[in-house]
Amino acid sequence: MSIHRIKHSAQKISPPKLRDTDFPARIRRYLKFAAANSPTMVSNLQQAYWSRTSYVPAGTFSQPSIKERRKFTDIMDEEINDEKRGKPGRKPKRLAHEIGTPLYLHGQLKTLKKETGISKPVPIDESDFVMPFFREKLQDISFQDDGRAVFTCYAIGLPAPSYTWFRNDLIIIETNRTKVKRLDDGRCQLILDPAKEYDCGVYRCVARNTLGSVVCRARLSLGDVPSNVAAPFVQDYSSHDVLLQWSTPKHLIDAHVQAYRLESKKFSANEWSIVDDNIHQEFYLVTGLEPNESYQFRLSARNKFGYSDPSPPSEAITTLSIDANKTIRLPLAMQFVCNETEIMPPIDYNQEVQPIQLIKSEFKELYDFKSIIATGKFSVITKAYIKDGSRKTLACKCVLVQSEIESSINHEYEIHKSLAHERIARLMYANRDGNLFSLAIELCSGLNVLTYICRRQSYNEQHVATILCQVLDAIQYLHFRGIGLLELQPDNVLIADEQNLQIKLTDFANARYISNQNAGHNTMANPEYIAPELIRNENITLPYTDVWTVAVLAYILLSGHSPFKGNDGQETAQNVVFVRYIFERLYPRVTQEAIRFLLSVFKLTPHKRPTIEECYECKWLLRNEFMMKKREAAIFDTNQMKIFTEKFINDKSITHKHSRLLDLIGLNE
């Protein structure tokens, strides 16, 4: 081989020349030297990299950095393109932080014991094990200084879970004043006796067994009597009656109002007389007044700590003359009042293994129907008494036998008969005879979330967040039982306690047992309230499919509009499938945290939506004082919600289809 060829071969196999890695360092040294000796260079560097107004000492130099800036719209376009190509995309980062001792450390400890011979390996069949679940979660507590505060929760699982308590993310250690107590029924209590002001904060309880852990949270705060209530104002009046309305006190000192006391007096008199001291709503119809007489009214609010000071007196109102032929008609939202307060027995969790049996007898032997609560497309919900001597008042859902949805209500019975949870309306009786299929459910307060809001003067984001967290609790229980809710209409969220704002879910006609999440389900649900994968008959993926329905409810409560409703069913379905909705309909005072929550959930790809636990952890729903004050400051008027509620009820009330059903139960007017 010639020397010329060897030379060329050596050139081919010689290592590539590396770039000068010292060049940036030499540039920085040069710039430092130039900045220390040249005022012109300092000025140029200041204009290029430093603030024009900041003073930069001679000889100092900040290394300029180049960062890529990407538009938010570009990132959204990439996600949309991925979805069009059918790519699921990268899953969002789930909660990475561990609570207490990570579970993998328990596994490592078990392995170390086996290796060192401390414990012999025992084969364990984990097929029958059950991951922990909170049947009863912690509730917010308020106390007065040196009072006693007790948190109680109840978790189940196999093996039985252990409990760990935290305050503001710090583990709680038992002392003479702070004790953790396990009750015989499986519940766990954290007792602070006495509780001090510095104990206030967010408390968490973690229940854990070998399969995993679950968390529940609550807030401890210092309480006092309510602040003064604003003066009531007159909505309407006649010769003998006056309809009053008022707003909830702005500062409840973390203790809900239990009742109001209303007082009245003639304008010329000095002494006040009590009209009623056990009012549970923010309105009252005063009757039995004298014609052509001027009256004034005032209020006091009561919580567990006592009564507030009386409000300022209302403006004097003069009743009409006795000749005036006027009758006060209550607005629609005020007509949903349940005067009877039924004391329901404690939840019987044995109902999960011993469900409510279907009674096959004449419905007239079991129920005494009194009035209509609501009407659906194919059903009527009535208030009924039970003919068993107890005279319990229940809400009875009635459907004609051999109608087009008989199979649907039978399916609803199969789902509902074994549900036992504090956020699920309890099924008390089920009956089927030759004409009628009926489900008797606890009546609660007679209100749903729409009528609850409409009978108020205003509401705020704190009300919305409280409702949504409890809805998530109910859906979490359904998922624990292997059930997907799939559809959530706003009138299916019942108000169990109007003053303390406790809700319960009802109507499981479109719920399904999800044994195989890779299979779609045909549903008769309204496309307005279901996830896009159901419309396209694609895979049902829990919990993401049900989280979508929660966001739809959130949008309605934050705007008074349905997010995807179109001119007809087909347009509505297209809006859902293409995730077309208008953010400008949200109230102007809606917080940015609430908007981010909606943005995070309204995703076409299910796995890009948050889980239920991530919803609890999102900033908008946090229980810390900063977010609570921010949510309470976002106050909304109820006028738009009243318009939405009236249209919602009218769309569902097709009374001409129920003539035979109403005749059968004796309520056809």
Side-chain angles (χ1 to χ4, degrees):
M1 183 181 292
S2 64
I3 297 176
H4 182 72
R5 286 189 175 183
I6 294 175
K7 182 178 179 181
H8 280 281
S9 299
Q11 289 177 353
K12 289 181 181 179
I13 64 174
S14 61
K17 188 176 181 180
L18 299 176
R19 67 183 181 89
D20 187 0
T21 56
D22 294 333
F23 178 75
R26 293 203 306 273
I27 288 292
R28 286 196 292 271
R29 287 197 298 270
Y30 167 76
L31 291 177
K32 285 183 180 180
F33 179 81
N37 295 276
S38 173
T40 304
M41 178 63 75
V42 172
S43 177
N44 292 337
L45 292 174
Q46 188 173 359
Q47 291 180 2
Y49 303 114
W50 303 327
S51 172
R52 295 187 178 184
T53 58
S54 61
Y55 170 72
V56 182
T60 62
F61 174 72
S62 176
Q63 180 182 0
S65 60
I66 301 174
K67 296 182 179 179
E68 178 187 10
R69 291 188 177 182
R70 303 181 65 196
K71 293 182 179 179
F72 177 67
T73 52
D74 295 339
I75 300 174
M76 290 184 63
D77 290 340
E78 290 179 7
E79 290 188 356
I80 293 172
N81 291 334
D82 288 344
E83 291 171 358
K84 286 181 178 178
R85 298 190 193 103
K87 296 181 180 180
R90 182 176 61 85
K91 286 187 179 182
K93 291 183 178 179
R94 301 304 176 201
L95 296 177
H97 66 276
E98 295 287 345
I99 304 167
T101 306
L103 289 177
Y104 65 84
L105 292 184
H106 293 279
Q108 290 181 357
L109 180 60
K110 188 183 297 185
T111 303
L112 287 174
K113 287 183 177 180
K114 291 179 182 178
E115 292 177 353
T116 56
I118 296 177
S119 63
K120 296 182 179 180
V122 179
I124 299 176
D125 182 13
E126 296 186 355
S127 60
D128 295 331
F129 283 12
V130 179
M131 186 172 175
F133 175 78
F134 275 108
R135 283 197 184 278
E136 300 172 9
K137 294 190 174 184
L138 300 176
Q139 300 294 323
D140 292 344
I141 296 177
S142 58
F143 71 100
Q144 289 186 319
D145 203 12
D146 291 335
R148 189 170 187 262
V150 180
F151 286 106
T152 304
C153 60
Y154 179 29
I156 58 172
L158 189 65
S162 60
Y163 295 91
T164 309
W165 292 84
F166 298 84
R167 183 179 74 86
N168 296 337
D169 296 328
L170 298 177
I171 193 167
I172 294 176
I173 300 175
E174 291 191 67
T175 63
N176 292 333
R177 192 177 61 86
T178 305
K179 296 186 180 299
V180 176
K181 184 178 180 181
R182 289 291 297 266
L183 304 182
D184 294 337
D185 57 6
R187 290 172 173 82
C188 185
Q189 290 183 337
L190 173 65
I191 303 172
L192 303 174
D193 190 12
K196 300 293 184 180
E197 185 175 357
Y198 52 78
D199 289 324
C200 294
V202 178
Y203 285 73
R204 290 188 299 168
C205 183
V206 181
R208 175 185 292 111
N209 66 10
T210 55
L211 292 188
S213 62
V214 289
V215 188
C216 63
R217 309 160 185 82
R219 188 167 176 265
L220 181 66
S221 54
L222 195 63
D224 202 347
V225 297
S227 59
N228 290 347
V229 185
F233 54 91
V234 177
Q235 283 281 66
D236 199 0
Y237 62 97
S238 63
S239 56
H240 296 283
D241 307 326
V242 172
L243 177 61
L244 298 172
Q245 194 168 5
W246 55 90
S247 300
T248 307
K250 291 185 178 180
H251 305 291
L252 294 179
I253 318 297
D254 296 301
H256 69 276
V257 173
Q258 296 176 340
Y260 294 97
R261 179 172 60 197
L262 178 65
E263 298 174 284
S264 68
K265 75 177 184 68
K266 294 182 179 180
F267 184 72
S268 57
N270 294 323
E271 295 185 0
W272 293 87
S273 60
I274 297 177
V275 178
D276 196 337
D277 62 353
N278 195 31
I279 303 172
H280 296 284
Q281 59 274 341
E282 280 74 29
F283 66 91
Y284 193 85
L285 181 62
V286 184
T287 60
L289 302 177
E290 299 178 10
N292 286 327
E293 188 66 56
S294 295
Y295 289 91
Q296 284 184 302
F297 305 91
R298 70 179 186 182
L299 283 167
S300 299
R302 185 186 80 228
N303 64 10
K304 66 179 183 179
F305 301 118
Y307 275 101
S308 68
D309 294 331
S311 70
S314 65
E315 295 183 1
I317 182 69
T318 303
T319 55
L320 301 178
S321 65
I322 196 170
D323 299 329
N325 187 16
K326 180 181 179 181
T327 303
I328 296 179
R329 299 188 63 181
L330 291 177
L332 180 63
M334 294 183 182
Q335 297 175 13
F336 291 87
V337 181
C338 178
N339 295 321
E340 302 90 350
T341 303
E342 294 288 341
I343 300 177
M344 300 298 294
I347 298 175
D348 183 11
Y349 296 114
N350 289 327
Q351 184 174 329
E352 293 180 344
V353 293
Q354 298 175 354
I356 300 296
Q357 297 299 314
L358 182 63
I359 303 173
K360 295 185 178 180
S361 63
E362 287 291 331
F363 69 89
K364 294 181 180 179
E365 299 177 1
L366 187 61
Y367 306 119
D368 182 10
F369 298 103
K370 288 300 180 184
S371 61
I372 298 174
I373 297 176
T375 57
K377 192 173 182 180
F378 300 101
S379 62
V380 173
I381 295 92
T382 67
K383 185 165 72 173
Y385 296 123
I386 303 300
K387 295 181 178 180
D388 60 354
S390 64
R391 300 291 292 175
K392 291 180 182 177
T393 306
L394 301 175
C396 195
K397 181 176 182 178
C398 305
V399 172
L400 288 173
V401 172
Q402 297 178 349
S403 67
E404 52 188 302
I405 66 159
E406 181 189 355
S407 60
S408 176
I409 194 171
N410 186 69
H411 171 78
E412 181 178 358
Y413 161 71
E414 293 295 331
I415 291 281
H416 204 168
K417 67 180 181 180
S418 63
L419 298 181
H421 190 261
E422 58 185 351
R423 300 297 174 210
I424 302 291
R426 295 163 62 182
L427 178 65
M428 308 300 292
Y429 299 92
N431 181 70
R432 186 188 187 281
D433 61 12
N435 299 307
L436 195 71
F437 199 130
S438 58
L439 301 177
I441 305 166
E442 62 174 309
L443 185 59
C444 298
S445 66
L447 298 170
N448 59 50
V449 67
L450 296 180
T451 53
Y452 165 78
I453 289 176
C454 289
R455 53 194 273 167
R456 303 174 63 91
Q457 283 296 109
S458 62
Y459 67 106
N460 55 45
E461 267 191 25
Q462 181 59 34
H463 293 111
V464 178
T466 301
I467 291 169
L468 294 183
C469 284
Q470 296 179 30
V471 169
L472 288 170
D473 290 344
I475 293 177
Q476 196 174 43
Y477 169 72
L478 294 176
H479 293 177
F480 172 72
R481 295 291 308 278
I483 300 170
L485 182 62
L486 306 188
E487 181 197 36
L488 177 63
Q489 298 197 24
D491 61 337
N492 296 336
V493 182
L494 305 180
I495 303 298
D497 186 342
E498 185 177 0
Q499 295 302 325
N500 197 20
L501 191 49
Q502 302 291 314
I503 68 97
K504 295 191 177 187
L505 292 192
T506 187
D507 194 344
F508 303 97
N510 290 299
R512 294 289 184 273
Y513 281 104
I514 310 298
S515 57
N516 181 9
Q517 294 192 9
N518 293 324
H521 288 272
N522 294 322
T523 176
M524 297 174 59
N526 188 334
E528 195 175 340
Y529 303 102
I530 61 177
E533 54 266 26
L534 292 177
I535 297 176
R536 299 187 298 186
N537 198 25
E538 294 179 349
N539 299 345
I540 294 176
T541 309
L542 298 182
Y544 311 110
T545 299
D546 283 346
V547 169
W548 175 283
T549 65
V550 177
V552 173
L553 177 63
Y555 186 100
I556 292 173
L557 299 182
L558 294 173
S559 67
H561 295 275
S562 181
F564 303 105
K565 186 174 179 60
N567 296 324
D568 52 34
Q570 183 178 1
E571 183 179 346
T572 299
Q574 289 179 350
N575 290 340
V576 174
V577 169
F578 292 104
V579 198
R580 289 195 299 243
Y581 59 102
I582 302 174
F583 263 106
E584 286 73 12
R585 288 178 175 174
L586 295 173
Y587 296 129
R589 291 190 175 183
V590 170
T591 61
Q592 290 298 316
E593 289 80 5
I595 294 176
R596 292 191 191 101
F597 172 78
L598 295 175
L599 279 171
S600 68
V601 178
F602 285 146
K603 299 282 189 181
L604 186 60
T605 304
H607 286 92
K608 291 185 177 181
R609 303 169 200 156
T611 63
I612 291 180
E613 186 59 34
E614 288 174 336
C615 290
Y616 289 132
E617 290 285 349
C618 79
K619 188 175 181 181
W620 182 44
L621 297 180
L622 289 179
R623 294 176 178 266
N624 59 57
E625 187 172 359
F626 171 77
M627 280 309 304
M628 289 187 69
K629 296 297 183 185
K630 191 170 184 178
R631 290 192 295 260
E632 289 175 352
I635 301 174
F636 315 128
D637 188 83
T638 59
N639 290 334
Q640 182 57 44
M641 281 299 299
K642 291 175 182 177
I643 296 173
F644 173 83
T645 302
E646 184 176 0
K647 189 175 186 307
F648 178 85
I649 293 175
N650 290 336
D651 290 345
K652 297 190 72 172
S653 300
I654 310 175
T655 54
H656 66 275
K657 288 191 175 183
H658 300 313
S659 57
R660 181 187 166 197
L661 178 57
L662 294 176
D663 285 337
L664 189 64
I665 62 179
L667 294 179
N668 201 357
E669 298 179 356

